[in-house]
Amino acid sequence: MKNCKIGILLFLAVLPNILSAQEKITTDNWLSSPGIIGTFILIAIVMIIAIIILFIKLNGYIDSMKRRQLDKHRMAFDDEIVAMEGADIDTILEKRKAALTYKLKGDELSGDNEAVDDKGLLHRVEKDPNNAFFDEKKKTSLSLETPQELKKIVIYYIGAAAIWLVLGTLIGQYLGMKFLWPEMDQQSWLSFGRLRPVHTNMVFWGWSSLAMIGLGYFVIARTSNTKIYNYKWAWTAWLLINATIILGTLCLMAGINNGGGEYREYIWPVMILFAIGLIITFYNFYKTVATRKISEIYISNWFILAALIWTIVLAIIGYLPFYQDGLGETVIQGYYMHQGVGMWFMTFTLGLVYYYLPSALNKPIYSYSLGVLAFWTQMLFYTMIGTHHFVFSPLPWWLQTIAIVFSAGMVIPVVAGTTNFLMTMKGAWNHISKSYVLPFFLVGTVFYFVGSMQGSVQAFRFTNFVWHFTDFNVAHSHMTMYGIIAFFLWACIYAILPKLTGKEPSQVFVGAHFWLAFIGLFAYMISLMAGGTYRGLSWIDGNPFIESVILMTPYWVWRAVGGSLMFASHLVFAYNFYYMVKGYNKTKPSELAKPIEEITV
Amino acid sequence: MLNFHKEHKNLVLTAGGVFIALSTLIAILPAFQMQGTEPIPDEKPLTAHEEEGLRVYVSENCMACHTQQVRNIEMDNVWGSRPSIPSDYFYSKKRLDVWRQSPSTLGSERTGPDLTNIGARQPSEDWHLLHLYNPRAVVSASVMPSYPWLFKEVDSSYMPTDAKVVAVPKAYFNKPGKKIIASYDALRLVDYLKYLKQTELPGDNVNDFIPALKKIEAARSEDGTQSLDGANLYAQVCAACHQGTGKDIVGAFPSLVGSSIVNDENSEKLIRVVLQGYDARTDYGVMPPFGDQLTDAEIAAILTHERSSWGNDAAPVTEEDVAKIRQYLEMELNK
C-alpha cells in the first residue's frame, strides 16, 4: 500500500515533465504520434470484439436454421418410408443383397471372352505402339455439336481479331525499328507519334477485344445450355467494333487525336461505336444468361458479364467532359488506362480461362469459391489503383497512396486465380506432352502471376523512382497484354476451334507459334527491363539525358529482334487459323447429334 | 439474400453498382475537386498562336515520348526548378473543342526530354526549327523523328517576304537554288514550345524536391562545396546547339573549337556572350542569354570546360570573373 502511494507520488512528479515534453509537437507526422496510434489500437480492440460477438451471434442463428431444416428432411424421409408398398421395399433389399455378395470371377480381362466396348469408351486403337520417331500426339477426341450460326460468329470474331493482330503487330514492329533508324520514312501519317496509338489501339480493341468476345459467345451459350439470344446483334456489334478500329486508325494517321491520353486516343465519335458494340454484346450475353436452362450461373459468366458492364461504365466516365479540365483529366487518365486493362481485358480473359482450361483438360475447376473470391477482390482492388501511373506527379498525395496500397492488395485476386488454375492443371501435366493447349495456358498463368505481381511492386515509391518513364513500362505492358492476355486467348482458340470445325492444325505449326511467341516475348521483355533500369539509374545519377538515349541502343536492337519473332509467330498463327476454319461449313454435323439445347454441360 | 449464383440480375446490378460507386470515389470526385484549381498569379494564358501550337503538338502526339511534369523527386530537378503543381496546367489543359478532350500532356514515357521548362531551357527559335526539321542536325544521337511535312521547300528566287528560312546544314539538305522555310504550323508549334516555362511561385513558397537516394546524398555532402562538373553541365545546357564536340553546324551554330572568343586570354567577351546572348552574326542563329538560368559558378565551370577541351587551351574562368562581369552588366543596364 505504501509502495503504491510512492508510485502515485512519483507519477505525479513526473507528469509535468511528460506534459511539457509535448509542447514541441507539430502537425508533421501526426499519424505516427503515440496518442493517435494508441487511439487507433483501442478502437481496433473494440471493433474486433464487436466483430467476434457478431460472428458468434450469426453462427448461433445459422445453426438453429440448419437444425430446423434437418428435422424437416428427416420427417419427410420417414413419411416416404411409411408410404411405400411392400413390393417396392423388397426390390430395393434384393438389389442391395446382390451388391453385397458380388465377386469378380477373375477372367474379365482375359480368357476367351469376346472383346466388347458396351459403353463406347475406346476412341483410338494404336496399331504400332512403339514407334519412337513420330510419337503422334492425341487428336481432339471430342467434336462439339454447335449451331452453325454460333460457329460462324465465333469464327468471324476470331478471324477479324487475327487480321488485326497481324496488322497491329506489324505496325508495332515498324515502330520498334524506328528507335534504331529514325529516318526510315518521311511520311507524316507514318511518323512515330501518330503510329504508336494506332498500334496500341489496334491490338487492344481489334485483336484482344474481338477474340475475347468471339470466345465469349461460345462460353455464354455453352455454360447456359441454351442458344445465343440474338444472332443478328452479334453481327451488328462485330461490324461496329471493326468500324471503330478502321475509322480510329485513319483518324490517328491523319493527325486527329483525342488528346493523347493512352488508349483514349480515338475521338469520341469513333469510340462511341465501340461503346455501342459493347452495350449490344452485353445485352445479348445478359439475355442469354437470363434464359439459361440450368439454375446456377457458371463463374465464367460472372467475369464476362461484369467485364462488359464495367467497361461500358469505364468508357462513359473516360469520355464525359464535365470534370476533365486541368489535372482532372490526369486523374481520369490514370483511372481509365488502368481499368481498361484490368476491368476489360483481364476480367474477361479470366472468365474465358475459367471455362476453357477445365474443359480442355476435361475436369472441373479446382475451386469454385476461390474463383468467386478472385471475382470480388478483382473488382475491389483493381478499381482503386489507377493513379499508380502518376506516382510523384502533382496529383493529390492521398490518391497516390491509395493506389499504392491497393496495388499491394492485388496479391489476393492474383494468388487466388493463379492457385486455382495451377491446381486445376495438377494431375493433368501429361497434357503438356499431348498437345500445345496446356503449354499456352501454363505460360499465361505464370505470366498472370509474375506480370501482375511485378506491376504491384512497380507501384511502390522506390521502384517508381528507378523505372517510371523508362522503357520498363513498355516491357511491363507487353508482359501483361501479351504474356497473359494473348497467350490465354491463343490457348482458348486452339482448345475450341478444332472442336468446332473438326480440323486440327499440324503440331509443328502450333509448336512454332508457341515457341516463336514465347522466345520473342522473353527477348523483348528482358532487354527493355534491363535497358529501362540502366536508363533510370542514369537519370538518378544526373547524367546528361542524351547519354540515356545512347545507352538504350543495344537494348532497342534486342527489342526489335524479339518483336520480329513475335510478329513471325503471328503469321504462323494466322496460317493455323486459316487451316482450322477452311471449309468449316462443309463439314456435316453428325446424324446422332442432338440440338444444343438438349446437351447438358 | 442476394444469391449471386442463381440470380443473374442481382449479380450484374451489384457488380455494376459497386463499380460505379468505387469509380465515383476514386476518379470522378477527385477529378471534380481538381476543377477548383486556380492559376498562379504570374501564370500567362496561351496566346492564340501558342494555342494553335498546342494543337499541332497534340495532333503529332508528342505526348507519346515527351512528358510535361516535374515530379517532386530530386532527379527531376533538371527539368524544372520546382515540382509541378496542379495550377501549372490551368491554361494549357482545357478541352480543345467539341471533338477532342483536354490534352493529356503529362505523359507517361520519357523517351525524349521533359518539356515543362523547354521554353526557358531552349529559347532559340532557330534551334527549334532546325531540330524539328531534322533532330540529328543538332543532336547527332537523337532518335526523334524529323518533321519535314512542317516545312516547305521553295525556290530562293520566289521566296515569300515573310518566310522564315531554316538554316539546314548541307549534309541534311543540299539542293542548289532551294531553301527550306518553316510552315505556319511549324512556327506555331515553336511558339508553343517557347511558351512552356515554369511560372515562379510568389514569395518563398516553394515546395522542395524529395532528396535522391541516401547514398548519393551522402556522397554529395562529403564533397561539400565541390567543384561543379563543367563537362556534364556543358552536355546538359550547351551541347544541344554547340554539339558535344564543340564543332559547328554550318549556317546554324558556330564552332567553339579554336574560336577566338572562346580562346581569348581575356574572358570578358565570352562571359558577356553567355550572360547576355549574342546576335552579331547573320550567318548563324541567335544565341539566347543564359544569365538567368545559370549561376556564376556554373557558368565558370562550363567556360573552363570549353576553354580546355577539343584542343582549346586557355586559362580557366573563375566564379569571381563571372560575378564581376554580371555586376558590371547590371550597372550598365541601370545607367
Side-chain angles (χ1 to χ4, degrees), chain A residues 50 52 68 78 91 128 166 172 199 257 270 296 305 322 396 432 470 473 535 549 563:
Chain A
I52 290 173
R68 220 173 297 158
D78 288 350
T91 349
D128 181 15
V166 171
H199 162 69
N257 189 320
V270 172
E296 300 259 325
L305 288 176
F322 313 114
I432 290 186
T470 69
N473 292 346
R535 195 164 199 205
V549 176

Side-chain angles (χ1 to χ4, degrees), chain A residues 183 194 262 292 329 335, chain B residues 6 23 60 93 108 136:
Chain A
E183 295 290 348
R194 296 191 190 185
E262 274 176 281
R292 69 189 179 281
E329 185 273 338
Y335 163 83
Chain B
K6 295 190 177 160
S23 301
E60 297 299 339
K93 274 173 71 56
S108 60
R136 277 150 296 286

Side-chain angles (χ1 to χ4, degrees), chain A residues 179 182-183 186-188 191-194 196-197 255 257-262 264 267-269 282 286 290 292 295-297 302 310 313 317 321-333 335 343 368 372 376 379 383-384 390 392-394 399 402 462 464-465 468-470 473-474 535 539-540 542 544-546 549-550, chain B residues 4-9 11-12 14-16 18-20 22-23 26-28 30-32 34-35 58-61 63-65 67 69 71-73 75 79 84-86 89 93-95 98-104 106-113 134 136 139 141-146 148-149 210 212-213 216 232 235-236:
Chain A
F179 281 87
E183 295 290 348
Q186 302 269 327
Q187 302 304 319
S188 61
S191 77
F192 185 88
R194 296 191 190 185
R196 184 181 189 268
N257 189 320
N258 185 37
E262 274 176 281
R264 265 205 298 181
I267 51 173
W268 68 263
F282 169 74
Y286 179 77
R292 69 189 179 281
S295 67
E296 300 259 325
I297 311 165
W302 291 42
W310 291 342
V313 172
I317 293 181
F322 313 114
Y323 35 77
Q324 302 222 29
D325 279 343
L327 287 192
E329 185 273 338
T330 310
V331 175
I332 300 294
Q333 176 59 26
Y335 163 83
M343 310 321 272
Y368 200 87
V372 174
W376 293 115
M379 174 182 76
T383 313
M384 310 300 272
F390 292 99
F392 296 122
S393 77
L399 211 56
I402 287 184
F462 171 74
N464 235 272
F465 226 98
H468 198 44
F469 290 149
T470 69
N473 292 346
V474 184
R535 195 164 199 205
W539 290 347
I540 292 177
F545 186 83
I546 194 71
V549 176
I550 296 167
Chain B
F4 297 127
H5 294 276
K6 295 190 177 160
E7 299 290 336
H8 47 269
K9 207 170 182 182
L11 178 68
V12 168
T14 311
V18 176
F19 181 70
I20 291 175
L22 289 176
S23 301
I26 200 70
I28 297 183
F32 263 120
M34 303 308 285
Q35 304 307 297
V58 170
S59 123
E60 297 299 339
N61 197 19
M63 296 76 83
C65 297
T67 53
Q69 50 170 322
R71 296 172 296 168
N72 53 0
I73 48 179
M75 65 190 275
W79 305 122
S84 300
I85 54 173
Y89 304 94
K93 274 173 71 56
K94 298 235 183 246
R95 194 169 176 87
V98 183
W99 312 109
R100 292 172 303 164
Q101 64 163 39
S102 147
S104 204
L106 271 80
S108 60
E109 280 281 309
R110 216 171 253 174
T111 309
N134 190 327
R136 277 150 296 286
V139 183
S142 171
V143 294
M144 176 166 147
S146 38
W149 57 93
I210 299 171
L213 306 176
I216 299 172
N232 212 339
Q236 281 172 10

